[in-house]
Amino acid sequence: MSMFDRLIEISEKYYKHLVVALLVIIFLGVGYILYKVFFVGKLFEESVSIKGGYIITIPKYNLTKQDYISLLSSLNYEYSIQETTDFFIIQTPTKNVSTFLNELEKRYGINTKSISIQEFNSSIGKYIFNQFYTLVTIAIFLVSTSIAIIYRKKEIFLTIFLSIVFDLLMVAIVLSLLQYPVSYMSLLGMLLIVGFAIDNNVVLATNMIKEREKSFAERAKMSLRVGILMELFVIYLALAALIFVDVTEIKEFALTLLIGNIADMIYYIFFNLSLFKYFESKHQQ
């Protein structure tokens, strides 16, 4: 028995349990997000480009990451630091970095003219972030409405809509739990994830609805081979970017895609198939 056959057998045999598991996960996920928003005050850790502050790029001298950590801690700065091949990149929301630069020059004799400093305004950053957030919300609404109008079948609409909800919930929750500083790149990644969720699950839905003369397993296998291959290809690219690329924005984008595609593959294999099996069993009753 092939891997596809085993996966389909699990979804077909335990479809009721998997449908319940999907609903429980979504319920708990929505609960977690509401808790973070209303009781903690924010869902994500915001990057400096959104909440305001400075991004300081320092060429590698003879200093180690620990040297910078010790200096920043002694100044009571809130910060995050990333080490790349050629630079240290420090993000800090502090309003004044002159003390840090003076201490670098005083303690270690570093010429601060070689240091790149980018300043971000919190008002502009949050405005742009909110516009991106609105764009994602509008995209989900338009996509859901279009699917409902084009296919006019509740099974297709519900399975695709739930795939979008599940994928974005998982991305939001994982980024929140990791306390990963989020910028516009994460929202761009989420837009792309919406596209992947629609693409894969529309193919599965079309085969399930239009190829009813074939068995459930045959229809599922037709879609899984293409869908899983596409998901794995994106996952491999995202992993490569995370491992080999030193640019912070690309890493953030890649991490968002990685989480979203893993979530979509789980939904695609187990929950989506289980939903179609549930709908078919209802029709046969």
Side-chain angles (χ1 to χ4, degrees):
M1 183 180 288
S2 69
M3 178 188 70
F4 292 115
D5 292 324
R6 291 182 185 278
L7 293 174
I8 294 167
E9 183 184 19
I10 292 170
S11 297
E12 196 170 6
K13 186 176 180 181
Y14 300 104
Y15 72 92
K16 290 182 180 179
H17 301 82
L18 290 169
V19 169
V20 172
L22 171 63
L23 297 177
V24 169
I25 290 170
I26 291 176
F27 176 79
L28 293 176
V30 171
Y32 173 82
I33 288 175
L34 292 175
Y35 167 76
K36 291 286 287 187
V37 171
F38 290 106
F39 291 95
V40 178
K42 60 180 179 180
L43 176 59
F44 302 113
E45 289 295 323
E46 297 174 345
S47 71
V48 164
S49 62
I50 295 172
K51 64 183 178 182
Y54 294 88
I55 295 180
I56 308 168
T57 305
I58 307 173
K60 280 195 170 178
Y61 297 105
N62 294 324
L63 300 184
T64 65
K65 185 176 181 178
Q66 188 57 47
D67 291 327
Y68 289 106
I69 291 173
S70 299
L71 176 56
L72 289 163
S73 298
S74 69
L75 297 172
N76 295 319
Y77 276 20
E78 181 185 341
Y79 66 91
S80 65
I81 183 168
Q82 177 191 357
E83 182 178 2
T84 69
T85 305
D86 301 308
F87 300 97
F88 286 104
I89 301 172
I90 298 169
Q91 295 192 32
T92 175
T94 184
K95 295 180 180 179
N96 190 348
V97 296
S98 59
T99 304
F100 170 71
L101 297 176
N102 290 336
E103 286 297 318
L104 269 181
E105 196 165 6
K106 179 180 176 182
R107 294 189 190 186
Y108 304 110
I110 291 177
N111 181 8
T112 54
K113 292 181 179 180
S114 62
I115 296 174
S116 170
I117 302 173
Q118 293 176 278
E119 183 179 3
F120 294 89
N121 183 285
S122 60
S123 299
I124 296 173
K126 288 183 178 179
Y127 173 77
I128 296 173
F129 183 81
N130 289 335
Q131 291 299 303
F132 270 101
Y133 180 81
T134 302
L135 177 61
V136 172
T137 305
I138 292 172
I140 294 171
F141 173 77
L142 291 177
V143 165
S144 303
T145 305
S146 300
I147 292 169
I149 294 172
I150 293 170
Y151 289 98
R152 298 181 183 179
K153 287 184 177 292
K154 65 179 182 181
E155 296 96 331
I156 295 178
F157 171 76
L158 189 60
T159 53
I160 294 174
F161 178 74
L162 286 177
S163 74
I164 296 171
V165 171
F166 181 83
D167 293 353
L168 294 183
L169 267 179
M170 292 303 103
V171 171
I173 290 169
V174 172
L175 288 177
S176 177
L177 291 173
L178 291 175
Q179 296 185 323
Y180 195 88
V182 169
S183 72
Y184 326 117
M185 297 305 295
S186 293
L187 291 179
L188 285 175
M190 289 181 188
L191 279 175
L192 197 56
I193 288 164
V194 171
F196 281 121
I198 295 166
D199 186 39
N200 271 346
N201 292 294
V202 162
V203 172
L204 177 60
T206 303
N207 288 334
M208 284 295 176
I209 299 297
K210 293 187 176 181
E211 303 287 340
R212 290 190 183 277
E213 70 279 0
K214 297 179 181 177
S215 69
F216 181 86
E218 287 177 318
R219 285 176 283 156
K221 194 182 293 186
M222 287 169 58
S223 305
L224 283 182
R225 285 174 176 167
V226 177
I228 291 179
L229 181 63
M230 183 185 299
E231 303 277 15
L232 288 174
F233 180 70
V234 176
I235 288 171
Y236 290 150
L237 287 178
L239 282 172
L242 284 170
I243 295 169
F244 299 111
V245 178
D246 281 337
V247 181
T248 304
E249 290 80 4
I250 295 178
K251 281 183 175 291
E252 180 185 342
F253 184 72
L255 178 62
T256 305
L257 283 184
L258 178 64
I259 298 167
N261 275 272
I262 291 174
D264 193 61
M265 188 160 64
I266 293 170
Y267 177 88
Y268 185 66
I269 295 171
F270 297 108
F271 300 132
N272 209 351
L273 286 178
S274 301
L275 283 168
F276 277 111
K277 183 63 181 176
Y278 172 79
F279 289 132
E280 286 195 6
S281 67
K282 280 295 205 180
H283 288 315
Q284 291 168 1
Q285 289 179 359

